[in-house]
Structures are given as structure tokens and as C-alpha cells.
Amino acid sequence: MNHSSSTLSPVAGCSALPPNSGTKPQNTQNRRRHFISLLQNCKHNNQIPPIHAKIIRNHHHQDPFVVFELLRVCSNLNSIGYASKIFSHTQNPNVYLYTALIDGLVLSCYYTDGIHLYYQMINSSLVPDSYAVTSVLKACGCHLALKEGREVHSQVLKLGLSSNRSIRIKLIELYGKCGAFEDARQVFDEMPERDVVASTVMINYYFDHGLVHEATSVFSLIRIKDTVCWTAMIDGLVRNGESNRALEVFRNMQREDVMPNEVTIVCVLSACSELGALQLGRWVHSYMDKHGIELNHFVGGALINMYSRCGDIDEAQRIFEQMKEKNVITYNSMIMGFALHGKSVEAIELFRGLIKQGFTPSSVTFVGVLNACSHGGLAELGFEIFHSMAKDYGIEPQIEHYGCMVDLLGRLGRLEEAYGFIRMMKVAPDHVMLGALLSACKIHGNLELAERVAKSLVACKNADSGTYILLSNAYSSSGKWKEAAEVRTNMREEGIEKEPGCSSIEVNNEIHEFLLGDLRHPQKEKIYKKLEELNQILRLEGYTPATEVVLHDIERSEKEWALAIHSERLAICYGLISTKPLTTIRVVKNLRVCNDCHLTIKLISNITRRKIVVRDRNRFHHFENGVCSCGDYWRTPRIRIHFSYTFKPLCSPCSKDSYHRENTSPGVASSTTSVHVTALDGIVNVNSLFTVAVFVGLSLTTPNQRSLENRVSCDAGIDMAKNLLVFEVVSFSFFLFSSLVAQGLKLAINLLNSKDVDDAFRAHINLKVLRFGMMGSAIGSVMGCVFLMLSMVNVIQIRLGLLSCGSKSAVHAVTALVLLVSSALLVYISTAFYAFLH
């Protein structure tokens, strides 16, 4: 047997002999007990050889009791090589010594050696007992040695050990691990008492092979279920993508008054993470606090992961900072959370903090931080971190790390460089990596490279449904409908089915799932009514569906309807009709959100005054006030505006770093009402000031008009004074009109944003009318300024006339008036310009 020799030299801090080693036994029985006691007190494998030497000197090296304890201690202290040498020098070992060494070999993962030793025992004409059988069955199960396991099972039947409970459970484990479920079920059914332990074993192995129905049927037959059984059921459902059912099982567990343990809590938090069930996740968190479940690394990491994947990254960060003791796993959870939310800078800073704290980053750590670099477009930093893995930490990059780099280059449009990087890798690419490059080729329009990547995927039999769909979409987007149809035909011939898009939303602690054009929901009429209302408002906003993303050769109206009934839109509509105004809507989708839905959700968040958080296959998207904080620079605006206006960009990046691309494409009409209110406030306030000022000027000018005409008649003439009066009256009228319109629009917008106003009422308000009204108010203010400037020109002319007449007091008065009006006009223009810019 090839075993590594144990280190036998003493180490610092460890005595060569255990305590009480100086006592001299008086007879054989006492010496045996003495040696066994010494062995049982061993704490390190370097203490074994001196004791073994004493045993040999006292001629107890063939004593089966002493040798048994030697083998057991060597196995427990990871000295299986030393144990094998001891066994090889033992004369006529009995079944107990064989069992002890088999146990040690299995414990040290030498399964083949354990099985061979069992056969050696049988060939020595020794009859195995139940302990030896359970040990070798464990070895067969771990090594997936089904043939040898069946032979042992035959011996069990011949020896009459089939009624032994431990052997039956080990047989179920053997057949379950090897996938022989007919044999496993036969052994299970033959048990006179199907206790909860055996049932839990069956449930676990059914779930390991994806047999959810069979596991559920076994679970339903158990009358009294303990915490371990409930936990196994919840964990199995989560592992098989049945998170919704897992939460139902957890609710039933609560109804049965069964207390969950830490493992149960982690499994439930994992289910909440998959579904985005933030409300239930928060309840589990409060349950932990109520029942005093410790926030250790195990539970804390699960909590951070749950809050991150459910969209509350701030709470995840609070949990992380609240934890007193952190390890690499805790840091990994937080770094992955930041990366998922597009917070690349925060993820990188946390990675640096991990290193400063003296922790050694793991392979998972680098996956998280490279993911953050990918989402942030940090190419240089990403490659620097990638190369530091092997150089500074001795971690060889795996397929996941290479995939992050390919995704990073693909997002930046450096497709040929990404393809060259794949060809230079030390490991073979998998379908996930090639699929990411294929998706980047489609987005950046490189059909030639897309064909090469797709063909290599299909040729090596690694293509899944996503590969075929991406290639078909790449052909369709280029107008090659024939090639696209051929790809889909090949997909059907291969028996590969497309994964349907599914979106879920949590409302009142219940998860509601929607498919494309779903008609199964009990409130489908209300959902589609809300959808139609939103479509009407979107059209008023200038939105035109981006039908080019519907890659099927169908009519335009059919394409528009196909876009409108995407699963995430149905989930959002259900959230709008089922939650209170201004409540955050959280949606989880299993596929990537398309560009048209991405832009549409921005508009919906602006129209409904809702924050909408969507988690798709790649990342989170936070929509609020018509802006998405995802910073996804793959997105290209496709909104068409049918009237002239100045708008803000569609999507602002989540980080202010220079590596984000600027959105220079035409944006959507910004009906952000807070911007409107700011501008209207400036118009109302400043116009009121000017209206009062002009009104005072009229009051002072009208009674003295005759006197003024006489005083300027010598130079400027009577018409000059009359024009001044006319200009002041017209300016006053424009300012008054602008103020009244602005005040009315401000009241209308405040009513539109009121919490008490139903969404259906908002649907009937024409936002375009409000915008044109605001533009009219602004034009009135500008016209008022124009006539006010004309008044200033007349004042200057009058001033020149007064100078020629030598009226010193009037000159100073008119000069002060001109300076006052000029200053006020400058303030007004600056204020209005600032308001419209923001």
C-alpha cells in the first residue's frame, strides 16, 4: 500500500510521551492497561513511536488489545502509514484488528486499500462481523464500487446479518450513491421499522440524483419527522431548483412546532436567495435574533448572501460590519454581493481590506473580485489581479477565473483579444465561457467570430440551449433568417429545449411566478389591464418598441405584443396592482433582461414613482426616477422621441470612474417630476419678484408721465417716454402670465405625485400637456425679460436726454434704476438657466 510516512520527530511544544508515562506496571494485565491509557492520552502522532517502542520492549507488540488501540490511535491522528506497518508485523490478526485498520483506511480516504484488506480477511478464513461489514460497505459506497458492494451484500445474506439496522443503512447508502435505486428501495422496504434515519438517507440520495418526486413520496410516509429530516427535505429541494416548495416545507415545519437548527436556517436563507424572497429572509433573520441563534461565519455568510441576492446590499453590508469575527468566506460573500450589484469599486476596496487584515484570498475570492472588474470594465486592474493569483498567492487559475477574463474582454468589445486569450489558456474552455464570448459577439455585431465560436461549441458536444439560441439570434439580428431557422431546426433534432423565461415577485410573503404571456394567474385580467394602461402612457412618453430585438420573421404588431408580454413586465404589473404606492418592487428573472425591457422598466419607474429592482442571470438592475444604476454599458438606448426637447441620458453608470462609457445616444424624454418642480419653483419665485418690481415701476411712472415727457422733449422726444410705459405694461403681463401658469403646473405635478393618487388616475393624465405648459411658462418669462430689456434701452435713452438737460438728481436716480434692473435680470437669467440644467 502506498501511504505517506508520518512525521515521527518531536515538534516544539509537544512532549515525547503523554502524561503519567513514568509509572512502572507490576504485571501483564496492569502493563496492558497502562499502555492503552498512554495511547488514549496521545494528542499528536509524534507521541506514538516512543510508546510503541516501550510496548515492543515489554513484549506487548502482539497483544491484540494493545495493537487494536495502536491502530485506532494511528488512524485518528492521521498516521495511517504507521498503522499499516504495525498491522503488517502483527501475527495472526483477528477480525477486530482487520476492522480497525479498514476503518482507518476509509477515514483516510484509502477506499481501494480498505476493500482489498477486507478481501484479505475473507481469504484468511475469518468471519466478518457487523462492524467489519459496515466499514467495507462505507468504502464501497465512497469509491462507487457497486460490483464489490453487491458481493459484500451477498455475504451479508449468507451470514444472516441482513437484519442488522446499521448494515441496512450502509447498504442503502451504497446503492444510493451508485444510483442503484431499485436495490436501495428494496432494502429500504424490507426494513421492519422504517425509522426517520433510514428515510432521511433515502431522501438525500434521491435528491442527489434529481429524483424529487421519489424523495417527496418517502418524506410523506414519515410519521414523526425530526429536525434533520426536515432540513434534508428543504436542502434537497433547494439543490434541485425547487426553492418555492422548500419554503412551503419550512412553513409546514413551523406549523409542526419543530425547532430548526443552524443548518436549517442556512438552507432556508439559500431558498430565499434563489427566489429573491426578501420579506421571508428578513423574517428568518428576526427569528434568529429571537431564538438566540449565533451569528457565526456559517450563518453570517448565508445572511450576507441572502440580502445581496435579494437586492438589499446595504443590509448585507451592515451584517458584514456587525460580525465580530470574519474569515475569508465572509469576505467572499460580501465581495460577490458587491460585484452582483455593480459596485466594482467597493468590491475591490474590500478585497484590498481582506489582504490588509492578513487573510489569504482563496480561489473563490478571486472569482468574486474578477467578476467585479468584469462588471466595471476594469481591464488593466483585472489582468493585474489575475496574474497575481499564481505569482503572489500560488493559486493556479481555474476555468472560472479564465471565464471572468473572457467576459471582461467581451464586455469591452475586445473580441479578438478574448478569442486569442481562450486559445492561449492552460485549460480547455467550457460551454459557459464560450457562451459568454458568443453573447458578446452578438451584442457587438461580430457575426464571423460568433460562427466560429458556436461551431466549436457544437463540434465538441458542449452546446446547450443557450448556445443554439445565441447563434440563432446572431443570424436573425443580421437578417439571415434562413440560417437562423436552420440552427433552431438542429436544436430540435438534437432534442434540446429552450429554457423558458420566468420571472418571480414576492408579495405578502408569497412568491408569484410568471412566464412569457402567462395566463395562469388568478388576477390575470387586472394584470393585463394594468399592462395596457402602462403601454398607453409609454406611447405618450414617446416610447416606440424596439422590435428589432424580436428575432423572428413576424409582423411588426406581433413583435410589439411579444415584447409587451415578457415575464418581467407581467411581474411588475402584478406588483403595481398588489402593493401600496411608492413601494419598492423586486423581480427575479432566470434569463438576461433584454434591452427593450431594460429601457421600458426605466420609464415605468419614472411614471409610477416606484423603485424597481430586477435581478437577472448576470446582475442586479436598480431602476429609480427613470435611471438605472446598473452601469451596464452593453445597453444601447433605442427610444425614439417625436418632439423636440432637451433630455438627460437614459442610464447613468453606477460608478463615477472614467472607465464607464458615456451614453451619447439620444435619450428618452425626462419627465422626472422633481426636475419640473425645481424649474417651476424658480420661475414662480423670480417671476413674482419681477412682477412686483414692474408693478411698482408702473405706479411711479404713470402719474409722472406728463412731467417726464416735458423733461425729455428737448432731446429724446415724447415717444420715448410713451414706449417706456408700453414696454413696462407688456413685461408685467408676460411675467404675470408665466407665474400663474407655472403655479398651476406645480400644483398639478404635486397632485400627480401624491401617495393618495391611484396609478389608474395617473394613466389618464397627459404628461405631454404638462410639458408643453411648462415650456409656455418659460417662454412667457423670456418674453417678459425681452420687454424688460427694451424698457432698459428706453431708460438709457432717457438718461442721455436728461444729461443734455442738465438734471443731476434725475441722472443719479435713473442710473441707480438701470443698475438695479440689470442686476435683477442677471440673477433671473442665471436662476432659470440653473433650474433647466438640473
Side-chain angles (χ1 to χ4, degrees), residues 313-329:
I313 190 64
D314 295 330
E315 183 64 18
Q317 189 173 5
R318 190 188 69 81
I319 296 295
F320 176 78
E321 294 171 352
Q322 178 185 341
M323 295 180 64
K324 296 179 181 179
E325 295 182 3
K326 305 179 181 70
N327 60 4
V328 175
I329 298 175

Side-chain angles (χ1 to χ4, degrees), residues 7 489 576 805:
T7 303
T489 301
L576 290 173
C805 296

Side-chain angles (χ1 to χ4, degrees), residues 171-312:
L171 282 171
I172 294 173
E173 290 182 358
L174 164 69
Y175 292 129
K177 287 181 178 179
C178 296
F181 287 105
E182 291 184 1
D183 295 329
R185 190 58 190 254
Q186 181 178 350
V187 174
F188 177 73
D189 291 339
E190 289 174 355
M191 294 184 70
E193 295 182 4
R194 301 174 189 174
D195 58 9
V196 66
V197 176
S199 300
T200 303
V201 172
M202 282 295 299
I203 290 171
N204 277 327
Y205 290 118
Y206 273 136
F207 277 131
D208 287 344
H209 290 78
L211 302 175
V212 178
H213 177 73
E214 289 79 358
T216 305
S217 64
V218 173
F219 181 79
S220 62
L221 295 175
I222 305 174
R223 290 180 295 176
I224 301 176
K225 308 176 182 71
D226 59 6
T227 301
V228 177
C229 184
W230 285 102
T231 303
M233 190 66 189
I234 295 171
D235 175 60
L237 289 171
V238 173
R239 287 189 286 116
N240 285 273
E242 298 281 353
S243 297
N244 211 343
R245 291 179 61 185
L247 295 182
E248 288 295 330
V249 172
F250 178 67
R251 294 187 182 97
N252 293 334
M253 180 181 179
Q254 295 296 296
R255 297 187 189 102
E256 297 290 335
D257 292 328
V258 179
M259 182 69 69
N261 55 23
E262 288 183 359
V263 181
T264 315
I265 294 297
V266 171
C267 293
V268 174
L269 290 174
S270 299
C272 295
S273 301
E274 290 297 320
L275 294 173
L278 181 60
Q279 297 175 21
L280 183 57
R282 285 172 175 164
W283 181 89
V284 175
H285 188 188
S286 64
Y287 182 91
M288 290 172 49
D289 295 337
K290 180 179 178 182
H291 290 82
I293 296 178
E294 183 183 359
L295 189 65
N296 54 26
H297 300 151
F298 185 54
V299 179
L303 265 179
I304 293 172
N305 185 59
M306 184 275 294
Y307 279 116
S308 298
R309 293 182 62 81
C310 289
D312 196 347

Side-chain angles (χ1 to χ4, degrees), residues 83 253 457 593:
M253 180 181 179
L457 266 171
V593 176

Side-chain angles (χ1 to χ4, degrees), residues 75 80 99-115 132 134-143 170:
S75 300
I80 192 63
T99 303
L101 187 55
I102 292 172
D103 270 338
L105 292 170
V106 174
L107 185 65
S108 300
C109 301
Y110 293 109
Y111 306 120
T112 304
D113 292 335
I115 297 171
T134 53
S135 296
V136 73
L137 285 175
K138 182 178 180 181
C140 293
C142 293
H143 195 56
K170 288 300 178 183

Side-chain angles (χ1 to χ4, degrees), residues 11 30 42 52 58 81 101 132 155 227 255 263 274 285 355 408 445 451 495 512 530 575 665 708 713 766 782 815:
V11 297
N30 290 338
C42 285
H52 189 203
N58 286 273
L101 187 55
Q155 289 180 345
T227 301
R255 297 187 189 102
V263 181
E274 290 297 320
H285 188 188
I355 297 174
L408 170 58
E451 289 179 329
H512 300 260
K530 170 58 69 175
S665 302
L708 187 60
S713 60
N766 194 331
V782 173
T815 301

Side-chain angles (χ1 to χ4, degrees), residues 346-561:
E346 290 85 345
I348 294 166
E349 288 299 323
L350 189 61
F351 172 72
R352 291 170 177 165
L354 176 148
I355 297 174
K356 288 180 181 178
Q357 291 294 326
F359 293 108
T360 302
S362 65
S363 177
V364 179
T365 311
F366 284 103
V367 172
V369 72
L370 291 176
N371 238 327
C373 293
S374 174
H375 288 307
L378 301 170
E380 294 182 2
L381 182 59
F383 274 100
E384 179 183 338
I385 295 174
F386 177 78
H387 292 306
S388 72
M389 290 177 59
K391 180 181 177 183
D392 299 333
Y393 302 101
I395 300 175
E396 285 297 324
Q398 302 300 317
I399 191 69
E400 296 83 6
H401 306 103
Y402 286 110
C404 291
M405 303 311 298
V406 172
D407 184 60
L408 170 58
L409 294 172
R411 286 174 178 268
L412 294 175
R414 295 156 62 172
L415 304 178
E416 293 294 340
E417 186 177 350
Y419 188 65
F421 182 83
I422 291 176
R423 300 183 65 181
M424 296 295 294
M425 291 189 325
K426 297 180 181 180
V427 297
D430 62 356
H431 69 284
V432 178
M433 180 189 300
L434 293 176
L437 181 58
L438 183 60
S439 178
C441 292
K442 172 186 173 294
I443 290 171
H444 294 286
N446 192 333
L447 183 59
E448 179 185 354
L449 182 58
E451 289 179 329
R452 278 188 283 163
V453 174
K455 288 178 180 178
S456 62
L457 266 171
V458 174
C460 63
K461 304 299 181 181
N462 282 335
D464 57 4
S465 63
T467 304
Y468 286 97
I469 295 301
L470 281 172
L471 183 59
S472 174
N473 291 349
Y475 281 127
S476 300
S477 60
S478 302
K480 297 184 176 182
W481 302 108
K482 181 180 178 181
E483 290 82 353
E486 290 177 355
V487 172
R488 292 181 178 271
T489 301
N490 293 336
M491 180 178 171
R492 286 192 294 270
E493 291 176 353
E494 294 288 337
I496 300 175
E497 296 183 359
K498 178 185 176 183
E499 181 182 4
C502 177
S503 297
S504 61
I505 181 173
E506 182 187 22
V507 177
N508 297 326
N509 289 327
E510 292 184 356
I511 304 298
H512 300 260
E513 293 183 344
F514 295 89
L515 300 175
L516 173 69
D518 208 330
L519 298 174
R520 302 170 301 167
H521 200 276
Q523 300 188 44
K524 58 184 178 182
E525 291 83 5
K526 294 182 179 179
I527 293 172
Y528 279 91
K529 181 180 179 182
K530 170 58 69 175
L531 180 65
E532 185 58 35
E533 291 176 359
L534 288 176
N535 289 337
Q536 292 178 2
I537 301 174
L538 291 173
R539 294 189 189 99
L540 295 176
E541 287 289 296
Y543 161 77
T544 300
T547 54
E548 62 269 22
V549 303
V550 181
L551 304 175
H552 296 280
D553 194 9
I554 55 178
E555 297 296 329
R556 180 178 180 84
S557 59
E558 295 176 332
K559 290 185 176 182
E560 291 182 1
W561 181 244

